[in-house]
PDB file of all heavy atoms in Angstrom:
ATOM      1  N   ALA M 134      15.268  17.405  -9.687  1.00 89.00           N
ATOM      2  CA  ALA M 134      16.588  17.735 -10.232  1.00 89.00           C
ATOM      3  C   ALA M 134      17.588  17.930  -9.101  1.00 89.00           C
ATOM      4  O   ALA M 134      17.277  18.503  -8.057  1.00 89.00           O
ATOM      5  CB  ALA M 134      16.505  19.000 -11.081  1.00 89.00           C
ATOM      6  N   GLY M 135      18.820  17.440  -9.317  1.00 89.00           N
ATOM      7  CA  GLY M 135      19.904  17.677  -8.380  1.00 89.00           C
ATOM      8  C   GLY M 135      19.842  16.872  -7.101  1.00 89.00           C
ATOM      9  O   GLY M 135      20.516  17.216  -6.124  1.00 89.00           O
ATOM     10  N   LEU M 136      19.075  15.796  -7.069  1.00 92.00           N
ATOM     11  CA  LEU M 136      18.886  15.047  -5.827  1.00 92.00           C
ATOM     12  C   LEU M 136      19.689  13.742  -5.770  1.00 92.00           C
ATOM     13  O   LEU M 136      19.397  12.882  -4.941  1.00 92.00           O
ATOM     14  CB  LEU M 136      17.396  14.739  -5.618  1.00 92.00           C
ATOM     15  CG  LEU M 136      16.509  15.942  -5.301  1.00 92.00           C
ATOM     16  CD1 LEU M 136      15.086  15.483  -5.033  1.00 92.00           C
ATOM     17  CD2 LEU M 136      17.031  16.728  -4.113  1.00 92.00           C
ATOM     18  N   ASP M 137      20.693  13.598  -6.610  1.00 93.00           N
ATOM     19  CA  ASP M 137      21.480  12.362  -6.557  1.00 93.00           C
ATOM     20  C   ASP M 137      22.012  12.055  -5.153  1.00 93.00           C
ATOM     21  O   ASP M 137      21.996  10.887  -4.737  1.00 93.00           O
ATOM     22  CB  ASP M 137      22.640  12.426  -7.553  1.00 93.00           C
ATOM     23  CG  ASP M 137      22.209  12.038  -8.962  1.00 93.00           C
ATOM     24  OD1 ASP M 137      20.988  11.844  -9.178  1.00 93.00           O
ATOM     25  OD2 ASP M 137      23.076  11.936  -9.844  1.00 93.00           O
ATOM     26  N   PRO M 138      22.504  13.043  -4.386  1.00 90.00           N
ATOM     27  CA  PRO M 138      22.968  12.712  -3.034  1.00 90.00           C
ATOM     28  C   PRO M 138      21.858  12.141  -2.140  1.00 90.00           C
ATOM     29  O   PRO M 138      22.120  11.298  -1.289  1.00 90.00           O
ATOM     30  CB  PRO M 138      23.493  14.046  -2.501  1.00 90.00           C
ATOM     31  CG  PRO M 138      23.866  14.818  -3.725  1.00 90.00           C
ATOM     32  CD  PRO M 138      22.829  14.448  -4.738  1.00 90.00           C
ATOM     33  N   VAL M 139      20.621  12.600  -2.340  1.00 91.00           N
ATOM     34  CA  VAL M 139      19.495  12.044  -1.594  1.00 91.00           C
ATOM     35  C   VAL M 139      19.233  10.612  -2.035  1.00 91.00           C
ATOM     36  O   VAL M 139      19.022   9.713  -1.220  1.00 91.00           O
ATOM     37  CB  VAL M 139      18.235  12.907  -1.783  1.00 91.00           C
ATOM     38  CG1 VAL M 139      17.030  12.261  -1.108  1.00 91.00           C
ATOM     39  CG2 VAL M 139      18.452  14.309  -1.229  1.00 91.00           C
ATOM     40  N   TRP M 140      19.255  10.388  -3.346  1.00 93.00           N
ATOM     41  CA  TRP M 140      19.028   9.021  -3.843  1.00 93.00           C
ATOM     42  C   TRP M 140      20.099   8.070  -3.310  1.00 93.00           C
ATOM     43  O   TRP M 140      19.806   6.904  -3.026  1.00 93.00           O
ATOM     44  CB  TRP M 140      19.017   8.993  -5.371  1.00 93.00           C
ATOM     45  CG  TRP M 140      18.059   9.907  -6.056  1.00 93.00           C
ATOM     46  CD1 TRP M 140      18.284  10.611  -7.199  1.00 93.00           C
ATOM     47  CD2 TRP M 140      16.709  10.206  -5.678  1.00 93.00           C
ATOM     48  NE1 TRP M 140      17.183  11.345  -7.555  1.00 93.00           N
ATOM     49  CE2 TRP M 140      16.185  11.106  -6.642  1.00 93.00           C
ATOM     50  CE3 TRP M 140      15.874   9.822  -4.628  1.00 93.00           C
ATOM     51  CZ2 TRP M 140      14.885  11.618  -6.576  1.00 93.00           C
ATOM     52  CZ3 TRP M 140      14.572  10.334  -4.556  1.00 93.00           C
ATOM     53  CH2 TRP M 140      14.095  11.204  -5.514  1.00 93.00           C
ATOM     54  N   GLU M 141      21.327   8.568  -3.169  1.00 92.00           N
ATOM     55  CA  GLU M 141      22.394   7.718  -2.629  1.00 92.00           C
ATOM     56  C   GLU M 141      22.049   7.239  -1.221  1.00 92.00           C
ATOM     57  O   GLU M 141      22.281   6.077  -0.869  1.00 92.00           O
ATOM     58  CB  GLU M 141      23.713   8.493  -2.623  1.00 92.00           C
ATOM     59  CG  GLU M 141      24.297   8.719  -4.010  1.00 92.00           C
ATOM     60  CD  GLU M 141      25.512   9.644  -3.991  1.00 92.00           C
ATOM     61  OE1 GLU M 141      25.982   9.973  -2.872  1.00 92.00           O
ATOM     62  OE2 GLU M 141      25.971  10.039  -5.076  1.00 92.00           O
ATOM     63  N   VAL M 142      21.484   8.130  -0.407  1.00 90.00           N
ATOM     64  CA  VAL M 142      21.103   7.751   0.953  1.00 90.00           C
ATOM     65  C   VAL M 142      19.974   6.731   0.927  1.00 90.00           C
ATOM     66  O   VAL M 142      20.016   5.699   1.604  1.00 90.00           O
ATOM     67  CB  VAL M 142      20.679   8.995   1.762  1.00 90.00           C
ATOM     68  CG1 VAL M 142      20.153   8.580   3.135  1.00 90.00           C
ATOM     69  CG2 VAL M 142      21.843   9.951   1.911  1.00 90.00           C
ATOM     70  N   LEU M 143      18.940   7.014   0.137  1.00 92.00           N
ATOM     71  CA  LEU M 143      17.788   6.107   0.104  1.00 92.00           C
ATOM     72  C   LEU M 143      18.175   4.751  -0.482  1.00 92.00           C
ATOM     73  O   LEU M 143      17.647   3.710  -0.069  1.00 92.00           O
ATOM     74  CB  LEU M 143      16.644   6.731  -0.706  1.00 92.00           C
ATOM     75  CG  LEU M 143      16.121   8.079  -0.206  1.00 92.00           C
ATOM     76  CD1 LEU M 143      14.838   8.464  -0.935  1.00 92.00           C
ATOM     77  CD2 LEU M 143      15.909   8.092   1.295  1.00 92.00           C
ATOM     78  N   ASP M 144      19.099   4.754  -1.436  1.00 94.00           N
ATOM     79  CA  ASP M 144      19.596   3.500  -1.992  1.00 94.00           C
ATOM     80  C   ASP M 144      20.334   2.694  -0.926  1.00 94.00           C
ATOM     81  O   ASP M 144      20.154   1.478  -0.804  1.00 94.00           O
ATOM     82  CB  ASP M 144      20.519   3.814  -3.168  1.00 94.00           C
ATOM     83  CG  ASP M 144      21.059   2.575  -3.849  1.00 94.00           C
ATOM     84  OD1 ASP M 144      20.268   1.833  -4.453  1.00 94.00           O
ATOM     85  OD2 ASP M 144      22.285   2.353  -3.776  1.00 94.00           O
ATOM     86  N   ARG M 145      21.138   3.389  -0.147  1.00 91.00           N
ATOM     87  CA  ARG M 145      21.891   2.736   0.916  1.00 91.00           C
ATOM     88  C   ARG M 145      20.956   2.137   1.977  1.00 91.00           C
ATOM     89  O   ARG M 145      21.216   1.071   2.529  1.00 91.00           O
ATOM     90  CB  ARG M 145      22.822   3.766   1.553  1.00 91.00           C
ATOM     91  CG  ARG M 145      23.864   3.209   2.482  1.00 91.00           C
ATOM     92  CD  ARG M 145      24.796   4.346   2.830  1.00 91.00           C
ATOM     93  NE  ARG M 145      25.849   3.924   3.723  1.00 91.00           N
ATOM     94  CZ  ARG M 145      26.806   4.746   4.151  1.00 91.00           C
ATOM     95  NH1 ARG M 145      26.813   6.001   3.750  1.00 91.00           N
ATOM     96  NH2 ARG M 145      27.744   4.301   4.961  1.00 91.00           N
ATOM     97  N   LEU M 146      19.848   2.846   2.239  1.00 90.00           N
ATOM     98  CA  LEU M 146      18.852   2.369   3.195  1.00 90.00           C
ATOM     99  C   LEU M 146      17.951   1.284   2.619  1.00 90.00           C
ATOM    100  O   LEU M 146      17.227   0.634   3.374  1.00 90.00           O
ATOM    101  CB  LEU M 146      17.969   3.527   3.662  1.00 90.00           C
ATOM    102  CG  LEU M 146      18.597   4.589   4.555  1.00 90.00           C
ATOM    103  CD1 LEU M 146      17.678   5.780   4.676  1.00 90.00           C
ATOM    104  CD2 LEU M 146      18.897   4.007   5.915  1.00 90.00           C
TER     105      LEU M 146
END
Side-chain angles (χ1 to χ4, degrees):
L136 291 184
D137 277 7
V139 175
W140 305 141
E141 289 173 8
V142 175
L143 301 190
D144 182 66
R145 192 172 180 179
L146 290 168

